[in-house]
Amino acid sequence: MGSRARSIAIWSVVALVGAVAWGVVALVRGEEISAAWLVAAALGSYAIAYRFYARFIVRRVLEVDDRRATPAERLDNGVDYQPTDRRVLFGHHFAAIAGAGPLVGPVLAAQMGYLPGTIWIVVGVIFAGAVQDMTILFFSMRRDGKSLGQMAREEIGPVGGVAALLAVFSIMVILLAVLALVVVNALADSPWGTFSIAMTIPIAFLMGFYLRVIRPGRVIETTAIGVALLLLAIVGGGIVEESGGALADAFTLDPETLAFCLIAYGFAASVLPVWMLLAPRDYLSTFMKIGTIVLLAIGILVTLPVLQNEPVTKFASSGEGPVFAGSLFPFVFITIACGALSGFHSLIASGTTPKMIQKESQVRTIGYGAMLMESFVAVMAIIAASILEPGLYYAVNAPAGVVGDSVQSASQAVNELGFAISPEALQRAAAEVEEESIIARTGGAPTLALGMAEIFAGATGGAKAFWYHFAIMFEALFILTTVDAGTRVGRFMLQDTLGNVWKPIGRVSWKPGVYLTSAIVVAAWGYFLYAGVTDPLGGINQLFPLFGIANQLLAAVALTVATTLLIKAGKLKWAWVTAVPLAFDLAVTLTASYQKVFSGNPRLGFFAQRDAFSDARDQGEVLAPAQTAADMDKVVTNSTVDGILAALFAVLIIVVVLDAARVWVRTIRAQRAARPVTTTEAEFVESELFAPAGLIATPAERERERELVGAGS
Amino acid sequence: MTVRDALRGVAWYLREVSGETGYERYVAHVRREHPDAAVMSRRDFERRRADDRDANPRARCC
């Protein structure tokens, strides 16, 4: 009775704190509110969701069974299948799902105000994102760690399977292009940033060599050396910049050159052995990622900054925002994918994680819990963007076509948008972080770095330029890790697919095949990167919506597979758990694709844009922001390609869902007629392992662990 | 919990999460499951493991 009463009391308090915080966030108007309220609202909601909703799904819907041995226990081979401590696996899984996505999307979505983004991040993760991650992890675990593509093919059929494969590949290409574009925008004409990032390549080689030859397997000391060198590289970047001589010039690169550097880097990373470049960079980036996220959390909690952004800006309804076009529905839900609902996670949740999980009940901690943590990273990102003065935010995030290239033109453009910032203030903001200019630094990374520099400089009393470049460096570092790992994964997928047609190309050791497939993957994302860099309308503005649509498309595939599996397991009455988020995701993605394809507004619809620019071109006119006839050609080509892609994504989703609906109907009919439905689950084997379910073991679980150790098992 | 325990916990976590304990785990696995088989040296084991990652790349999300 005592513990039950205490539990009720504690959860009532948590619910009350969360509810009050939401009330303040949503209702207080006309005065600036502290970021503390956003943090409290998010954390309170997560706690309630984890305690009640996730538990309900695990117990009632999925019916996890700890008497059943997991693939890690049954197939333990000491390599890819092995039971791994839940806290360790949580770390691995989180490091694999969280990257630049939850940091970039919320920053861009801040143009609608902090409220819509925050609500979507918190509500979306609770009912969609974390549910997707956890159910896919569970279903893959019950099938010995099958991938999402395999499950789609087996459960839905060849058509759904092929569409799923296409979806995975196209999201990979767009994702890599957009992320690389973020890096280019952050490093362009910045010798400090470019020098620091360039240095990570020799540092990685050094670490790789050390790990391979000198001290095999000593990851921690190698990483410590790497991090020390990395911090030196940031300091060194400052010296290079101040020297102002030939060295500074050598690292002052224009966007196009940087794009080609990244393309060459992606190719090299895909063909070189992993131990040389990819593995050491991965250690470095994982360490920096966790370290910086923790630092950001501490910074926000210590300084509790005040939000300058409006709760809801006029762009939410007008759809005329400069950062990306379109109104709140559906574009907030497209722009913020990672952190709320990210289809890409289903690839991780059906990859290595299900092969390492010790007990079935741990899917709640690892699948749902890690995603809640990513969501919190997204909330911190929206806070970091919202503590900036709105005038500064728009000067940084509007494309060059809108704000021009001087502080005067930017100040005027921001005034026309309805916000205020003086040319002097813009100059000062750039000087404070020792950058030449911060105007039209789109892509989210520089904005986040400005916000983080503000927070860290507030907490440590200065060194704003160092913190700015620290933030830029770590973002670029882990974006590049996604780019190099992604190129490699894309190459394997391509080799695998083409190998069905012509055997030799499928062999991972056949060099010409490796070079050819790497080149194709790099060319695919390189094309979009280059188009984005040179796009007169601004690459982020054009491409980010496509990235969001592609990611949500993959989420639709994952939620469709999960719904299909629930129905096949005879749990039609619980299918809403994944079917409702699926329906919402479909509404969002299809509306967004529809508007991107059919809208008559040239700012929003790709084909309307194409028509406007091609008509003008035929008349010999030049439409702003294009400046030459060649610019006009670029806009026409880009909007055609982007429009076709948006249409293709919509068709893919419709195909997958219709194909799945056919399977649903057939399955339900068979169940009604009491015909047996075959299951693809691995057979039940009694488990002999014991491990706690949550991150922190309960007293009873600890007692049980002690008994088992005592019994010598 | 003393400071010492906490530090020990952190060291344990870092070693586990970074995969440094992979070799110890492998040795234990071989000794337990295949007592007659030869055990690879640390250098060979780490080399094998790195080369396995060559063939099985892991995606990193955004």
Side-chain angles (χ1 to χ4, degrees):
Chain A
M1 156 65 197
S3 79
R4 191 178 163 77
R6 197 166 62 218
S7 169
I8 292 174
I10 290 173
W11 286 104
S12 306
V13 172
V14 172
L16 197 69
V17 170
V20 169
W22 274 120
V24 172
V25 170
L27 300 176
V28 170
R29 287 286 179 276
E31 52 191 302
E32 290 167 340
I33 72 159
S34 162
W37 293 109
L38 250 58
V39 171
L43 292 181
S45 311
Y46 297 154
I48 299 277
Y50 185 78
R51 169 66 178 73
F52 296 99
Y53 192 50
R55 188 163 100 139
F56 154 76
I57 296 176
V58 158
R59 289 194 171 180
R60 286 287 154 78
V61 181
L62 301 176
E63 295 182 278
V64 300
D65 181 359
D66 276 341
R67 288 168 309 159
R68 187 192 268 263
T70 61
E73 182 180 352
R74 281 184 291 116
L75 308 171
D76 185 1
N77 59 6
V79 190
D80 45 352
Y81 289 95
Q82 50 179 325
T84 304
D85 185 277
R86 67 207 182 279
R87 294 158 292 191
V88 173
L89 190 57
F90 181 89
H92 284 174
H93 186 75
F94 177 73
I97 60 171
L103 295 173
V104 169
V107 170
L108 303 183
Q111 88 159 346
M112 306 256 173
Y114 59 79
L115 196 53
T118 306
I119 294 177
W120 165 235
I121 291 168
V122 175
V123 176
V125 77
I126 288 171
F127 293 104
V131 173
Q132 172 206 266
D133 289 18
M134 177 167 69
T135 50
I136 292 295
L137 175 60
F138 172 80
F139 287 125
S140 173
M141 176 187 73
R142 280 274 171 106
R143 283 158 187 77
D144 294 345
K146 274 195 187 132
S147 72
L148 180 73
Q150 280 172 311
M151 288 196 283
R153 198 163 54 236
E154 285 174 15
E155 308 299 338
I156 302 176
V159 177
V162 169
L165 196 71
L166 266 176
V168 172
F169 194 73
S170 49
I171 178 197
M172 206 74 124
V173 167
I174 295 290
L175 167 89
L176 297 180
V178 169
L179 289 180
L181 187 55
V182 171
V183 174
V184 167
N185 287 347
L187 298 184
D189 303 315
S190 163
W192 187 335
T194 310
F195 174 83
S196 313
I197 279 297
M199 282 307 114
T200 62
I201 297 172
I203 292 173
F205 278 135
L206 192 79
M207 288 170 67
F209 179 75
Y210 186 89
L211 258 181
R212 181 85 168 180
V213 182
I214 303 175
R215 299 269 289 161
R218 269 59 164 211
V219 178
I220 296 174
E221 62 183 58
T222 313
T223 308
I225 296 172
V227 169
L229 290 173
L230 206 62
L231 293 176
L232 272 181
I234 305 180
V235 176
I239 299 171
V240 167
E241 146 129 24
E242 264 165 40
S243 77
L247 200 56
D249 290 343
F251 286 100
T252 309
L253 302 176
D254 60 61
E256 287 175 45
T257 316
L258 271 171
F260 284 113
C261 291
L262 286 189
I263 291 170
Y265 169 75
F267 182 80
S270 168
V271 299
L272 283 180
V274 165
W275 66 265
M276 265 193 202
L277 188 59
L278 239 154
R281 280 186 60 100
D282 196 38
Y283 290 130
L284 212 52
S285 117
T286 306
F287 183 85
M288 294 294 288
K289 178 155 63 188
I290 305 293
T292 312
I293 286 171
V294 170
L295 220 57
L296 180 60
I298 295 174
I300 286 180
L301 294 178
V302 169
T303 58
L304 291 178
V306 168
L307 304 179
Q308 311 265 348
N309 194 359
E310 295 166 16
V312 184
T313 66
K314 59 184 177 182
F315 301 130
S317 49
S318 75
E320 297 286 310
V323 183
F324 56 90
S327 44
L328 195 151
F329 185 87
F331 286 98
V332 159
F333 309 99
I334 290 293
T335 309
I336 303 179
C338 302
L341 168 63
S342 168
F344 207 101
H345 292 185
S346 59
L347 302 183
I348 318 266
S350 62
T352 45
T353 310
K355 297 175 185 160
M356 295 165 83
I357 200 161
Q358 281 173 320
K359 299 303 287 179
E360 290 206 336
S361 55
Q362 292 171 355
V363 294
R364 178 172 163 213
T365 311
I366 291 163
Y368 204 92
M371 182 60 193
L372 288 183
M373 197 144 124
E374 190 194 70
S375 172
F376 187 61
V377 174
V379 170
M380 294 196 294
I382 212 167
I383 291 175
S386 296
I387 62 170
L388 297 178
E389 231 177 287
L392 180 61
Y393 172 86
Y394 289 103
V396 176
N397 282 290
V402 174
V403 286
D405 51 11
S406 69
V407 285
Q408 284 79 16
S409 65
S411 164
Q412 194 183 346
V414 168
N415 280 324
E416 276 162 27
L417 287 169
F419 299 89
I421 190 156
S422 66
E424 295 74 36
L426 280 172
Q427 196 66 60
R428 199 166 49 242
E432 270 178 2
V433 295
E434 295 181 28
E435 281 289 301
E436 197 62 34
S437 157
I438 47 163
I439 296 163
R441 291 241 168 216
T442 58
T447 311
L448 184 71
L450 284 172
M452 283 174 66
E454 185 82 42
I455 293 167
F456 290 161
T460 60
K464 212 167 174 184
F466 175 84
W467 287 119
Y468 174 84
H469 288 95
F470 175 83
I472 288 281
M473 226 267 324
F474 100 86
E475 280 180 276
L477 180 68
F478 64 66
I479 288 180
L480 287 180
T481 307
T482 306
V483 170
D484 54 31
T487 306
R488 210 178 172 92
V489 171
R491 174 197 123 199
F492 273 74
M493 278 165 46
L494 197 62
Q495 278 189 293
D496 197 39
T497 313
L498 294 180
N500 293 330
V501 186
W502 189 51
K503 275 263 170 343
I505 209 148
R507 275 188 236 129
V508 287
S509 53
W510 190 54
K511 288 287 175 217
V514 170
Y515 285 115
L516 180 71
T517 44
S518 299
I520 296 175
V521 174
V522 171
W525 64 257
Y527 169 80
F528 287 101
L529 171 60
Y530 185 77
V533 164
T534 55
D535 196 317
L537 302 176
I540 288 292
N541 189 314
Q542 296 285 82
L543 287 176
F544 207 84
L546 274 184
F547 161 55
I549 292 173
N551 204 351
Q552 304 297 45
L553 156 68
L554 197 52
V557 174
L559 288 167
T560 306
V561 167
T563 308
T564 309
L565 283 164
L566 281 177
I567 293 176
K568 283 191 171 178
K571 295 175 182 168
L572 183 61
K573 71 169 174 175
W574 297 129
W576 57 265
V577 168
T578 52
V580 170
L582 172 61
F584 182 75
D585 185 44
L586 285 176
V588 165
T589 331
L590 292 177
T591 314
S593 319
Y594 183 87
Q595 292 186 0
K596 279 290 171 195
V597 174
F598 294 110
S599 166
N601 172 0
R603 288 205 55 227
L604 185 56
F606 284 125
F607 290 110
Q609 187 179 71
R610 182 205 139 88
D611 292 346
F613 278 79
S614 87
D615 289 350
R617 184 188 56 181
D618 295 344
Q619 314 254 317
E621 293 167 24
V622 172
L623 286 186
Q627 287 171 347
T628 61
D631 280 356
M632 298 293 288
D633 290 339
K634 269 183 210 153
V635 173
V636 172
T637 315
N638 290 351
S639 48
T640 314
V641 173
D642 297 348
I644 292 173
L645 264 185
L648 174 77
F649 289 160
V651 169
L652 278 177
I653 304 181
I654 294 171
V655 167
V656 173
V657 174
L658 285 184
D659 203 25
R662 180 184 58 87
V663 175
W664 299 345
V665 171
R666 207 178 53 200
T667 308
I668 294 167
R669 281 208 184 125
Q671 286 164 342
R672 295 250 156 94
R675 281 196 304 272
V677 176
T678 51
T679 172
T680 45
E681 263 185 16
E683 257 179 78
F684 179 95
V685 173
E686 183 92 34
S687 170
E688 292 170 0
L689 257 177
F690 173 77
L695 282 184
I696 299 166
T698 62
E701 286 171 335
R702 236 173 249 158
E703 180 66 21
R704 178 85 197 278
E705 277 185 312
R706 263 196 295 275
E707 275 171 30
L708 289 172
V709 172
S713 103
Chain B
M1 198 169 68
T2 62
V3 176
R4 198 131 160 235
D5 286 346
L7 285 179
R8 197 173 295 150
V10 169
W12 169 85
Y13 191 74
L14 281 179
R15 275 170 53 73
E16 287 286 336
V17 100
S18 65
E20 277 211 12
T21 47
Y23 182 65
E24 290 151 37
R25 210 187 286 269
Y26 155 79
V27 173
H29 179 82
V30 176
R31 295 250 159 86
R32 191 176 60 237
E33 308 284 332
H34 320 278
D36 302 328
V39 179
M40 274 189 277
S41 70
R42 173 125 200 202
R43 186 170 292 264
D44 290 341
F45 172 79
E46 298 294 352
R47 212 158 262 226
R48 259 277 280 288
R49 188 153 72 150
D51 296 341
D52 274 344
R53 276 189 67 181
D54 249 343
N56 300 299
R58 288 185 205 160
R60 287 279 183 220
C61 184
C62 14

